[in-house]
Amino acid sequence: MDGDGGGDVSRVDRTLRGAAAIVGVADDVSPTGELELTGRALEVSVVLAALDDAGLTLADVDGVCHAESSMAFAEYLGVHPRFTDSTMTGGSTYEVHLEHAAAAIAAGLCDVVVSVYASTPRSDRTQKRPVTRRFPAGPNPMAEWEWPFGLRMPMGPYALAASRHMHEFGTTSEQLAQIAVSTREWATLNPRARYQTPLTVDDVLASPLQVSPLHLLDCCLVTDGAGAFVMTSAERARSLRQPPVFVLGAATCHDHMMISQMPDLTITPGRVSGANAFAMAGVSPGDVDVLMGYDSFTITALLHLEDLGFCAKGEGGPFAADGKLGPGGTLPMNTNGGGLSFTHPGMYGMFLITEAVRQLRGQGEARQVPGAEVAVAHGSGMVLSCMSTAVLGTEAVL
């Protein structure tokens, strides 16, 4: 990952810093884990709510991002975008959309971009509706080369990464469990979270083993959920309804599709995307007030801590073990309760963005991090495959 690819920070000779801002967000979740709306109705509902949050309407929209078909969704909305994006990278999709939208706005290709996500796997199951697994278009090598040999999805690849990390660095199940505990502490402050009952490390370790060494409470939820964000130019953002949240830096990197092809099970492409995003933003990990790091599994969150530079490689376990990720800690992480306790409809990256924006606006209610001015939304797509990092900030840090 230090070779001739896009990971050389010195090559970041163009910047998006401060050119675009997030001006509207909305999400729809429920403590029951189920929602009444589905499909297009749910998508339109959160898009309209995000536009209303910004003080804009559909007539303002000239850019559309959608992980399945931005063309079909734009047609349904009745808008004719000048910028369109159907990128799908799994859980990091919406950080990629943010990066692309910021670049398009900075280049003058469009003025107002919306991105939306909606999925209802929990109610699909309980109401016996057809369930569609989402993978990027084209052949799926995992189905041919990994699944037939007993790799349980989605836990299996992450269990491999956790096992390797334990082998190389002495990481323990107790240290991973503390990540779930700290995340649940945030969820107890969020009345919209799926699970709000406090956890202990012993609770996590006593939950059923899924794929060794991961227990049930090391794994993300399966819930319904939807979200949307709206972006525009920094200039226009300052005249809208909400305090703008500026894109300071954004970067993406992927280095494999199948977990068997991951160059090192203990190092994610976040080492590249994070370094480049921080370089563009002109800030360091020490400047970050809120980290929204994709927590599909506790090991996912631990790897983010290391690869983004919050601690050295191999030190993620001890770093998380003393509770510094929870309320009152030195690195507030996943303040809404994360994918482990808040919601996880399948591609959680949208909710990293909506919560980061609310924290920077000072709208976190009981879970608000005092004085938050810099936040990171770090998405993880597929099986630790595609990482996308967005560094966001308030006007005060421009």
Side-chain angles (χ1 to χ4, degrees):
M1 293 175 64
D2 291 325
D4 294 331
D8 186 344
V9 176
S10 66
R11 298 179 188 179
V12 181
D13 55 358
R14 298 181 178 89
T15 183
L16 302 175
R17 192 181 196 280
I22 302 172
V23 292
V25 293
D27 53 39
D28 192 0
V29 300
S30 168
T32 68
E34 297 190 19
L35 298 174
E36 292 185 7
L37 294 178
T38 62
R40 288 284 191 244
L42 182 55
E43 291 177 332
V44 171
S45 174
V46 289
V47 165
L48 293 178
L51 286 167
D52 183 67
D53 185 53
L56 296 169
T57 70
L58 280 175
D60 296 295
V61 175
D62 60 357
V64 173
C65 301
H66 192 288
E68 293 178 352
S69 174
S70 53
M71 292 179 64
F73 187 61
E75 180 180 67
Y76 193 86
L77 290 176
V79 300
H80 305 149
R82 297 185 293 143
F83 170 74
T84 188
D85 190 346
S86 296
T87 300
M88 198 293 215
T89 60
S92 57
T93 293
Y94 304 96
E95 285 67 41
V96 176
H97 286 176
L98 183 155
E99 179 187 6
H100 292 180
I105 290 166
L109 302 180
C110 57
D111 189 41
V112 175
V113 179
V114 298
S115 175
V116 63
Y117 172 59
S119 183
T120 53
R122 188 175 183 86
S123 60
D124 288 347
R125 183 175 62 192
T126 60
Q127 299 182 33
K128 296 181 171 55
R129 293 192 293 258
V131 178
T132 302
R133 286 191 175 272
R134 290 173 175 160
F135 290 96
N140 181 356
M142 291 182 284
E144 181 176 3
W145 298 107
E146 293 182 340
W147 299 351
F149 299 95
L151 183 68
R152 183 181 176 190
M153 293 293 290
M155 298 88 163
Y158 299 88
L160 288 171
S163 296
R164 188 65 190 176
H165 204 279
M166 289 176 168
H167 172 75
E168 289 200 22
F169 304 114
T171 308
T172 68
S173 291
E174 288 80 4
Q175 291 167 343
L176 290 175
Q178 181 59 49
I179 294 174
V181 170
S182 295
T183 306
R184 183 65 65 87
E185 289 174 350
W186 285 114
T188 66
L189 302 176
N190 184 358
R192 300 169 68 227
R194 173 71 177 101
Y195 290 126
Q196 301 170 38
T197 304
L199 274 183
T200 67
V201 167
D202 287 342
D203 291 333
V204 178
L205 299 181
S207 65
L209 196 65
Q210 299 300 298
V211 179
S212 181
L214 298 179
H215 295 80
L216 180 63
L217 294 176
D218 285 301
C219 306
C220 63
L221 308 173
V222 178
T223 64
D224 298 350
F229 64 80
V230 182
M231 293 179 62
T232 191
S233 66
E235 180 180 9
R236 185 170 186 180
R238 291 185 174 96
S239 67
L240 296 178
R241 180 171 293 166
Q242 299 285 358
V245 171
F246 297 93
V247 178
L248 304 181
T252 298
C253 182
H254 53 86
D255 64 9
H256 65 283
M257 179 65 172
M258 297 189 293
I259 196 68
S260 60
Q261 301 306 303
M262 188 173 180
D264 185 327
L265 285 169
T266 70
I267 300 174
T268 75
R271 189 172 68 168
V272 173
S273 67
N276 285 349
F278 280 128
M280 184 184 290
V283 301
S284 70
D287 298 312
V288 174
D289 300 306
V290 177
L291 172 60
M292 294 302 298
Y294 202 111
D295 58 340
S296 49
F297 299 86
T298 51
I299 183 61
T300 317
L302 182 147
L303 292 173
H304 299 334
L305 296 172
E306 297 176 348
D307 292 339
L308 292 176
F310 292 100
C311 62
K313 178 54 63 180
E315 295 181 3
F319 183 86
D322 66 357
K324 63 170 55 69
L325 307 179
T330 55
L331 181 62
M333 182 175 182
N334 296 333
T335 52
N336 55 3
L340 293 170
S341 288
F342 171 55
T343 193
H344 197 292
M347 299 197 300
Y348 181 71
M350 176 62 74
F351 305 96
L352 304 173
I353 295 168
T354 58
E355 177 69 3
V357 167
R358 290 186 176 120
Q359 285 287 341
L360 294 181
R361 288 179 179 175
Q363 298 171 351
E365 300 177 331
R367 63 189 187 278
Q368 178 64 44
V369 175
E373 294 187 340
V374 176
V376 168
H378 182 66
S380 174
M382 304 312 292
V383 289
L384 301 172
S385 308
C386 180
M387 301 293 169
S388 188
T389 312
V391 183
L392 308 174
T394 67
E395 183 96 47
V397 298
L398 280 183

